Amino acid sequence: MREPFENVVATHGATVLRVCRAVVGPVDADDAWAETFLAALRAYPELPVDANVEAWLVTIAHRKAIDVVRAAARRAVPVERLPDRPAGQVTDGRDLDLWTALARLPTKQRQAVAYHHLGGLPYLEIAALLGGSADAARRAAADGIATLRRTYGAPATTGDLR
């Protein structure tokens, strides 16, 4: 018997949000999270009872994150005047330094780290999402973690890291 969708959200919501934050950044993570669960709600009745729900949700989150990034690239961001210096790195109590460090990683490494270490996906499923082999996904995640260990907390050298 299938568990109620509310329980799925309660059980896997935090994991999906962590994945969304790691992939699209803290600004757009809530939108990607909401889109993920809206799509999941529509498809949930057709999901096989024995399916890995967490992996299914992370796959949807991956696709929705790509949609959010594409939509953000098309939107203009109006400002009255440019600031003299960038805004601070901590807002509403969240540690945005981690996002800064993740954003410095190459895309495949950032996604492999997010999907494996935050989403809990095995490397074979990550390879299916990103393309390539399970060994390549494992290597990308390992390289990303090694870089994070060396650079986490180092000052940013790029502009907008969305």
Side-chain angles (χ1 to χ4, degrees):
M1 182 166 162
R2 186 182 313 279
E3 71 177 308
F5 191 74
E6 296 82 22
N7 294 352
V8 171
V9 175
T11 302
H12 302 291
T15 300
V16 171
L17 184 58
R18 283 193 305 270
V19 168
C20 290
R21 282 184 180 162
V23 174
V24 299
V27 174
D28 295 322
D30 291 338
D31 290 339
W33 184 91
E35 290 295 323
T36 296
F37 281 103
L38 282 173
L41 177 61
R42 288 184 202 106
Y44 190 63
E46 304 302 318
L47 184 70
V49 175
D50 62 341
N52 180 341
V53 176
E54 186 175 52
W56 175 68
L57 288 169
V58 170
T59 301
I60 295 171
H62 166 75
R63 292 180 181 137
K64 293 303 176 180
I66 290 170
D67 292 346
V68 167
V69 169
R70 287 177 181 157
R74 290 188 299 264
R75 282 192 306 266
V77 180
V79 294
E80 189 170 315
R81 67 181 190 90
L82 294 175
D84 293 335
R85 58 190 161 107
Q89 287 295 310
V90 177
T91 60
D92 67 2
R94 292 181 293 167
D95 180 11
L96 298 183
D97 288 338
L98 179 57
W99 167 243
T100 301
L102 279 167
R104 289 184 198 143
L105 295 176
T107 302
K108 274 204 171 180
Q109 287 182 15
R110 182 175 64 247
Q111 290 173 338
V113 166
Y115 297 149
H116 182 71
H117 294 284
L118 300 176
L121 289 182
Y123 293 115
L124 191 58
E125 292 181 27
I126 294 169
L129 282 172
L130 301 180
S133 67
D135 288 338
R138 181 180 293 110
R139 179 80 263 154
D143 290 348
I145 290 295
T147 300
L148 286 174
R149 286 183 177 141
R150 283 192 318 272
T151 63
Y152 182 65
T157 58
T158 59
D160 184 11
L161 298 175
R162 263 174 33 134

